[in-house]
Amino acid sequence: MGSRTIRLLRGRRVAAGLLAVAMAALLVVADADASPSPPVLEFTTSSKTFPVAFTTESGAVTAELAGFESVVHCAASQGQGEITGPHSTLSHYSFTGCAAEGSLNAKCKSLGANAEEIVSEEVEAEPVYIDQARNEVGLLLDPTGGVYMKFECGGESVEAIGPFLAPASPTDKETTTFTATLSESQGVQTPDEYELANGEKRLALPSGKRGTHEPAPTGVEATFTIHTSVPVEVKELTTGQVEAKRREEAEKARQAETKRTEETIAKLREEAATDKHAEESLSAKLAAIEKRETDEAAKRKREKLLAGALKRCKREPPRKRAQCRAKAKRRYGSAAGKGKAGSAESGSGALYQRLTS
């Protein structure tokens, strides 16, 4: 086979392979832009790097369980954690000088803690709107629900169960000091409702379980001061900013993918120049590149869809979350949809001309 024929064949194979990669990348971008995004709240830093460490401190903390006369008082609290990304934090807390007053008059402590000390499990939190119209923002703590704290008072067990809301400030201002406030009314946490970015209302009703009694609403009073290791801003991103950010990320990923593919193709061309089996060797290698790149593009798309689906599952009622997560993993956690990128050459004239020149 003549050298001109080999070059032409090589160009066609390269064009088909790279076109498939480009189409797969476009499918990911098209899916990202399929529907407009509502405004979102984010933690941002000047360096745009995470995690960001923080500490917390408070004065007196009071917890009241609706329907019971006993009230738990703690003299103070301290905490530490990290802002792990634009939408999440993880932290632990220690409450000291804790005792129950009323019908249950006894000192309180967690298993393995110091005397009169209550310690929390790891607590997840995310920024949410309390009221978008008034630009009121808060932290939704323990958003997926569950027991985040266990202790005993006079031998009787107590469990604290989330989620709950803590209005926070300031917003739209870079600082290292924030304030989060917990409030209650007659044993019920207030506020007990927050808004999704699209304005939909969701409840956040914490509860407590004392001994063998059924869980009941609970309310906590405390004011926490939060100190971050670097300046942080709780910022609202508008729809336009969200879309621009998503397009920028998709374009960067596409450019990186294209560059890597073209570098590999250039290397193959150099090898083929001295390979007496150029046609067979190049054909096999280009087929492998095409399969790898299309598979990776499909994998990235599935991972993005799975992450979005799992995040939506967090908003489901607790009894439906496990089923929601299982359904999301069945739908997006496998290789379903693989091969959709295709390798059609229609509409690829400019790309084909560049590669075969």
Side-chain angles (χ1 to χ4, degrees):
M1 184 177 291
S3 60
R4 182 177 182 279
T5 304
I6 291 176
R7 286 197 302 272
L8 182 58
L9 173 63
R10 185 168 62 230
R12 287 175 176 168
R13 299 293 180 112
V14 171
L18 193 54
L19 179 60
V21 174
M23 290 179 68
L26 285 174
L27 282 174
V28 174
V29 175
D31 180 77
D33 293 338
S35 59
S37 297
V40 298
L41 289 170
E42 286 192 356
F43 296 112
T44 65
T45 66
S46 298
S47 61
K48 298 182 180 180
T49 57
F50 294 96
V52 173
F54 66 84
T55 60
T56 73
E57 59 189 36
S58 81
V61 180
T62 301
E64 182 177 352
L65 190 62
F68 293 89
E69 295 180 4
S70 297
V71 177
V72 175
H73 291 282
C74 296
S77 79
Q78 291 184 329
Q80 59 183 3
E82 291 182 334
I83 301 174
T84 56
H87 309 107
S88 61
T89 77
L90 293 173
S91 53
H92 293 84
Y93 300 89
S94 170
F95 302 86
T96 54
C98 300
E101 300 176 358
S103 60
L104 181 62
N105 190 12
K107 294 180 180 179
C108 305
K109 71 182 291 291
S110 294
L111 181 65
N114 297 322
E116 300 181 44
E117 180 187 26
I118 297 174
V119 296
S120 76
E121 305 291 336
E122 185 174 67
V123 179
E124 181 184 357
E126 60 186 57
V128 296
Y129 293 101
I130 303 295
D131 189 320
Q132 285 193 63
R134 298 180 180 179
N135 197 32
E136 294 178 0
V137 171
L139 293 174
L140 176 63
L141 293 99
D142 197 25
T144 58
V147 177
Y148 64 89
M149 193 156 56
K150 296 180 181 180
F151 57 96
E152 288 188 353
C153 298
E156 186 170 53
S157 64
V158 181
E159 295 181 350
I161 306 165
F164 55 100
L165 288 163
S169 62
T171 59
D172 297 321
K173 175 184 177 182
E174 196 171 62
T175 181
T176 58
T177 303
F178 296 85
T179 300
T181 304
L182 295 172
S183 302
E184 63 91 22
S185 176
Q186 298 181 340
V188 178
Q189 200 70 35
T190 59
D192 60 6
E193 190 176 66
Y194 65 99
E195 297 181 15
L196 301 183
N198 62 7
E200 181 183 347
K201 302 282 189 178
R202 289 291 173 90
L203 290 175
L205 296 171
S207 61
K209 187 176 186 297
R210 176 178 163 181
T212 58
H213 298 282
E214 290 296 317
T218 189
V220 179
E221 289 272 0
T223 299
F224 295 86
T225 302
I226 304 167
H227 303 282
T228 58
S229 58
V230 298
V232 173
E233 180 179 358
V234 181
K235 185 176 182 179
E236 178 185 84
L237 298 183
T238 65
T239 300
Q241 289 172 320
V242 172
E243 294 297 337
K245 185 176 181 180
R246 293 173 67 185
R247 283 194 292 269
E248 180 183 0
E249 291 173 351
E251 177 62 18
K252 285 181 179 178
R254 186 194 66 78
Q255 290 178 358
E257 195 76 37
T258 300
K259 181 179 179 182
R260 187 177 70 170
T261 301
E262 290 184 337
E263 287 174 348
T264 303
I265 291 170
K267 183 178 179 180
L268 288 175
R269 281 176 170 163
E270 291 178 4
E271 293 175 355
T274 56
D275 187 351
K276 63 181 180 180
H277 301 294
E279 178 184 349
E280 294 82 0
S281 175
L282 186 59
S283 176
K285 289 178 180 179
L286 287 175
I289 290 174
E290 178 181 345
K291 184 177 185 303
R292 183 193 72 207
E293 301 297 345
T294 53
D295 286 352
E296 289 182 359
K299 179 182 177 182
R300 286 195 304 275
K301 180 181 178 180
R302 291 196 308 274
E303 289 174 347
K304 183 173 182 178
L305 291 171
L306 177 60
L310 291 176
K311 186 172 182 180
R312 289 192 294 274
C313 286
K314 290 184 178 181
R315 309 298 188 187
E316 292 290 334
R319 67 179 183 278
K320 293 185 178 181
R321 286 182 194 137
Q323 181 181 0
C324 179
R325 294 188 186 111
K327 182 178 179 181
K329 290 177 180 178
R330 285 197 304 270
R331 184 172 183 181
Y332 303 119
S334 67
K338 189 176 181 181
K340 290 182 180 180
S343 58
E345 294 191 9
S346 60
S348 63
L351 178 62
Y352 181 83
Q353 291 297 326
R354 178 168 65 85
L355 292 170
T356 54
S357 60

